[in-house]
Amino acid sequence: MHTEAVFPDWPGGAEVAVALTFDVDGEAPWLGEGPEYNRRLTTLSQGRFGPSRGLTRILALLAALDIPATFYIPGHTADHHPDAVTAILAGGHEVAHHGYLHLGSDGLDADGQRAELDLGLSALSRHGVRPIGYRSPGWEIVPETLSMLAELGFSYDASMMADDRPYWEASGGQPLLELPGHWSLCDWPYFGWTPYQGGLLADPAVVERIWVEEFESARQERRVVTYTMHPEAVGRGYALRMLERVIAAMLDQGRPWFATHAQIAAMASPPG
Ligand code: ZN
């Protein structure tokens, strides 16, 4: 059993802590599928839409509303779209670790997992970033990863789903804060689509309802809620308009504290 993390009251009398998080995957997940994807220019371009267009829209929205967010960036994206990282940092946002080539932990041995972590750290360090948070590519994590995160000095992970509020994981014998997400609060299952895997291409009104309802539940329970998004999905014009409406509903319905994962993690009382 895990131990639920304890927090003081949210700053400024807020009723709920809302983390808007974006995984800037770019071309990495496709290239990570195999070398044949080097030739699949349309698929790669669909990924590239994230850092090259979707991100610009997202950053403009966040700036207009003065909302900080957390951006999980694979090292490959940082290396190939350095301007994207520069723009994210210039907006005052948090940058966190999301692997290097977005390789799923479950398909890697310990050495491969360590390489993904090290290469990702090196890529982000070229932007002067030493991330304290990690989200595993594709939301799968193996026991070795947890131990490595502790060893590498990470403060939190955002890959698991055992609760809908932050909790402590044992990581290499040390406590690691888990900031859980869920597929229902992720844009990809609704708006992601590929010719190989298909997808829903859902009506944004449906997603809007689910996300605002979850916000209301979190508000009533005065807990944290994390939304996970991808610039190549939520950064499409129609989907970003939905995010705008979701944020407006949050501001209308209550007093949210929009915070980065690092800001939320910093408020957790150490387990004891
Ligand atoms: Zn990802």
Side-chain angles (χ1 to χ4, degrees), residues 23-25 29 72 74 98 102 135-139 230:
D23 298 356
V24 193
D25 289 342
Y72 290 88
H98 195 45
H102 204 275
R135 174 179 281 151
S136 60
W139 266 343
H230 299 77

Side-chain angles (χ1 to χ4, degrees), residues 22 49 54 57-58 61 187-188 190-192 201-205 207-208 211 229-247:
F22 300 88
F49 178 92
R57 279 203 184 108
I58 290 163
L61 175 66
D187 62 354
W188 191 257
Y190 304 114
F191 302 135
L201 293 183
D203 177 354
V207 183
E208 180 181 347
W211 286 14
M229 294 165 274
H230 299 77
E232 71 268 40
V234 82
R236 305 294 318 185
Y238 75 101
L240 201 78
R241 286 172 62 83
M242 178 214 72
L243 177 61
E244 211 173 334
R245 290 196 301 276
V246 168
I247 294 172

Side-chain angles (χ1 to χ4, degrees), residues 31-48:
L31 294 170
E33 288 283 315
E36 68 276 18
Y37 276 82
N38 280 310
R39 293 173 45 75
R40 294 189 177 174
L41 297 185
T42 301
T43 299
L44 290 175
S45 72
Q46 185 181 331
R48 196 166 72 239

Side-chain angles (χ1 to χ4, degrees), residues 34-240:
E36 68 276 18
Y37 276 82
N38 280 310
R39 293 173 45 75
R40 294 189 177 174
L41 297 185
T42 301
T43 299
L44 290 175
S45 72
Q46 185 181 331
R48 196 166 72 239
F49 178 92
S52 69
R53 175 58 61 198
L55 180 68
T56 311
R57 279 203 184 108
I58 290 163
L59 289 174
L61 175 66
L62 296 175
L65 297 171
D66 198 20
I67 290 176
T70 301
F71 290 80
Y72 290 88
I73 308 183
H76 183 276
T77 303
D79 279 347
H80 291 82
H81 302 281
D83 294 352
V85 184
T86 305
I88 288 165
L89 292 171
H93 304 290
E94 178 192 7
V95 167
H97 199 301
H98 195 45
Y100 186 80
L101 201 54
H102 204 275
L103 300 177
S105 308
D106 51 319
L108 294 171
D109 61 13
D111 286 349
Q113 183 63 59
R114 181 62 193 235
E116 273 282 292
L117 287 169
D118 286 343
L119 288 169
L121 283 172
S122 304
L124 296 183
S125 77
R126 289 190 274 280
H127 290 272
V129 172
R130 176 62 180 87
I132 62 162
Y134 173 76
R135 174 179 281 151
S136 60
W139 266 343
E140 193 54 88
I141 199 164
V142 294
E144 294 77 27
T145 318
L146 271 186
S147 309
M148 290 174 197
L149 292 177
E151 195 187 315
L152 291 167
F154 281 87
S155 301
Y156 71 85
D157 171 65
S159 311
M160 288 195 271
M161 311 181 178
D163 203 339
D164 54 17
R165 55 202 74 201
Y167 60 94
W168 294 99
E169 280 286 351
S171 159
Q174 294 176 46
L176 180 73
L177 185 67
E178 181 60 43
L179 296 172
H182 191 257
W183 295 107
S184 60
L185 305 176
C186 174
D187 62 354
W188 191 257
Y190 304 114
F191 302 135
W193 194 91
T194 67
Y196 317 108
Q197 299 155 342
L200 274 181
L201 293 183
D203 177 354
V206 172
V207 183
E208 180 181 347
R209 219 155 50 232
I210 295 170
W211 286 14
V212 172
E213 282 295 293
E214 183 67 14
F215 166 81
E216 182 55 24
S217 161
R219 189 186 72 79
Q220 289 181 16
E221 297 178 354
R222 305 184 86 84
R223 61 178 165 88
V224 179
V225 59
T226 290
Y227 297 88
T228 302
M229 294 165 274
H230 299 77
E232 71 268 40
V234 82
R236 305 294 318 185
Y238 75 101
L240 201 78

